[in-house]
Amino acid sequence: AKVDVGFGNTLFLRGSGAGLNWNKGTPLVCIAVDAWSLVLPAAKEPFAFKFLLNDVTWSTGKDFLAGPGDTVTVTPAF
């Protein structure tokens, strides 16, 4: 993800498939001030996902979609 969420905040991912679920988020790793990363080796088929700020505030807009082996960079809005 390409987004600056502010000092002390963490970006999370929820979804269906690839080891994700809609009830509890998986934290991303901050790799730069405005860049976050997550590798999902459990992806065996296409899956839907959405970002949350601090695993509480959902990003706006529709769910994102990806598939096994995809490298996806998105800019979520909150």
Side-chain angles (χ1 to χ4, degrees):
K2 199 79 169 128
V3 61
D4 184 349
V5 295
F7 181 76
N9 293 306
T10 301
L11 203 56
F12 286 78
L13 203 64
R14 294 189 194 185
S16 59
L20 300 172
N21 70 71
W22 292 112
N23 299 317
K24 184 175 192 290
T26 300
L28 281 79
V29 176
C30 184
I31 57 174
V33 172
D34 65 347
W36 296 81
S37 179
L38 180 64
V39 176
L40 298 170
K44 305 263 188 271
E45 57 189 48
F47 60 96
F49 63 96
K50 197 154 188 168
F51 295 92
L52 288 88
L53 183 60
N54 299 321
D55 208 22
V56 174
T57 305
W58 292 87
S59 60
T60 60
K62 296 180 180 180
D63 297 344
F64 297 99
L65 301 174
D70 287 353
T71 297
V72 179
T73 301
V74 296
T75 303
F78 294 93

